[in-house]
């Protein structure tokens, strides 16, 4: 089957697959009031996940990131990892997590086939961590990161959403941490979502400002690989860790888009901010539907827009950053 490609020549090798909308943290930029279920959840089953990954694998997907909500809240999370890792077309199995279960399960997940982990840590100050996340679990999460490093993961990344007036003074502390620790630190620029214009105006910090600071300190840009996400990555000879900047408001952010998202209820999102998603679930019930699933994927890619239109203040259907899937 031919590689997934849109009308702008962008090829898609990377699937971000949400397996639950549920999260047990209450981050101010994401779920400040905590997760509110909308009826009885009917998230993708193991069989549906297997058929979904198989279909994407046949059209060029090489990397799958398992996301949520908080994906490890699923009791069958390890089984999900095994299913994705068992697909011969998938070279990299990753996940994004808040890290609260990482200390106990890092080795188990690695043995199941998970190879890369992104952990959300918005501050290295325990008090600020609690203020942002609503959970007093800083030490627990940091022990989880240590466990992931010990387990032998190919790459351990830490995600921090930049928030003016909250964690914007944390950069020196983060830099000191990665000087002697092989962590990939990812700073994510706050995006305007369903939380509203006021929150965005109060806390938005431009990623390009952080980029200028890094360049002034001798950080050098790294060329991306084919399955990298949207981050601009930087390295420094004096540091074991690297830094990545995700700057959705930067010029040409969408030009190198290589990823698609599927929600926990089986909807394909060509772009998080501009459409409601296309249901795939009816074609995930049996392997015999594979060709029809692939035909639908190719048909939808022809409708993908050139950009996310965030610059025009269009935030789409996204109500909170949990939907982004890390």
């Amino acid at each position: 089957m031919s590689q997934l490609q849109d009308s702008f020549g962008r090829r898609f090798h990377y699937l971000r697959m949400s397996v639950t909308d549920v999260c047990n943290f209450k981050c101010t930029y994401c779920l400040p009031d905590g997760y509110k279920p909308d009826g009885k959840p009917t998230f993708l089953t193991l069989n549906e996940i297997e058929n979904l990954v198989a279909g994407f694998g046949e059209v060029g997907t090489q990397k799958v990131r398992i996301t949520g909500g908080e994906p490890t809240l699923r009791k069958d999370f390890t089984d999900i990892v095994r299913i994705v890792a068992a697909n011969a077309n998938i070279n990299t199995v990753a996940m994004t997590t808040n890290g609260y279960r990482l200390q106990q399960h890092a080795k188990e997940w690695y043995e199941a086939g998970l190879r890369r982990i992104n952990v959300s840590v918005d501050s290295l100050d325990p008090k600020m961590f609690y203020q942002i996340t609503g959970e007093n679990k800083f030490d627990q999460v940091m022990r989880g990161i240590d466990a992931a490093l010990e387990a032998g993961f190919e790459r351990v990344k830490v995600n921090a959403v930049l928030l003016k007036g909250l964690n914007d003074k944390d950069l020196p502390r983060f830099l000191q941490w990665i000087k002697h620790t092989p962590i990939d630190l990812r700073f994510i620029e706050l995006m305007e979502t369903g939380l509203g214009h006021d929150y965005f105006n109060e806390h938005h910090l431009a990623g390009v400002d952080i980029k200028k600071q890094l360049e002034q300190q001798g950080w050098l840009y790294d060329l991306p690989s084919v399955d990298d996400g949207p981050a601009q990555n930087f390295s420094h000879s004096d540091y074991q860790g690297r830094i990545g900047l995700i700057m959705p408001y930067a010029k040409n952010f969408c030009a190198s888009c290589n990823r698609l998202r599927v929600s926990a209820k089986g909807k394909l999102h060509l772009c998080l901010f501009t459409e409601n998603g296309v249901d795939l679930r009816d074609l995930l019930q049996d392997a015999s539907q594979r060709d029809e699933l692939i035909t639908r994927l190719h048909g939808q890619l022809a409708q993908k827009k050139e950009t996310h239109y965030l610059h025009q203040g269009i935030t789409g259907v996204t109500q909170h950053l949990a939907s982004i899937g890390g």
Side-chain angles (χ1 to χ4, degrees), residues 129-256:
F129 179 94
Y130 175 71
Q131 183 176 340
I132 294 174
T133 67
E135 294 291 334
N136 190 20
K137 291 184 168 66
F138 175 78
D139 291 337
Q140 181 178 335
V141 171
M142 296 303 286
R143 288 194 299 269
I145 292 172
D146 290 339
L149 291 170
E150 292 170 6
F153 283 90
E154 292 175 3
R155 188 167 290 173
V156 178
K157 297 181 180 178
V158 167
N159 292 345
V161 177
L162 295 172
L163 299 167
K164 184 172 62 178
L166 293 172
N167 63 359
D168 52 336
K169 306 299 184 184
D170 272 18
L171 182 59
R173 189 178 295 193
F174 275 117
L175 291 178
Q176 184 60 38
W177 182 37
I178 66 171
K179 191 159 192 174
H180 305 292
T181 307
I183 292 287
D184 277 23
L185 183 61
R186 309 281 295 283
F187 289 123
I188 303 171
E189 184 175 355
L190 181 68
M191 292 164 271
E192 185 175 355
T193 63
L195 287 174
H197 194 63
D198 291 343
Y199 184 92
F200 178 77
N201 280 346
E202 182 178 359
H203 295 296
H204 178 252
L205 179 64
V208 292
D209 293 340
I210 302 298
K211 181 179 179 180
K212 290 176 183 177
Q213 291 184 47
L214 294 175
E215 290 174 337
Q216 289 170 358
Q217 296 176 32
W219 288 83
L220 301 176
Y221 176 70
D222 297 331
L223 293 175
S225 62
V226 67
D227 67 346
D228 276 349
Q232 294 184 32
N233 294 307
F234 299 83
S235 58
H236 195 297
S237 59
D238 294 339
Y239 291 78
Q240 288 192 31
R242 296 193 310 167
I243 292 179
L245 299 176
I246 298 180
M247 302 179 290
Y249 293 94
K251 185 178 179 180
N252 297 324
F253 177 77
C254 297
S256 59

Side-chain angles (χ1 to χ4, degrees), residues 22 50 54 118 254 300:
V22 182
E50 184 173 13
N118 284 28
C254 297
Q300 290 303 315

Side-chain angles (χ1 to χ4, degrees), residues 104-129:
Q104 293 80 13
H105 298 281
K107 185 176 180 181
E108 172 191 334
W109 296 335
Y110 180 84
E111 291 174 349
L114 192 67
R115 287 297 177 266
R116 299 184 182 183
I117 292 182
N118 284 28
V119 187
S120 296
V121 182
D122 292 309
S123 178
L124 295 180
D125 176 355
K127 291 182 180 179
M128 181 57 66
F129 179 94

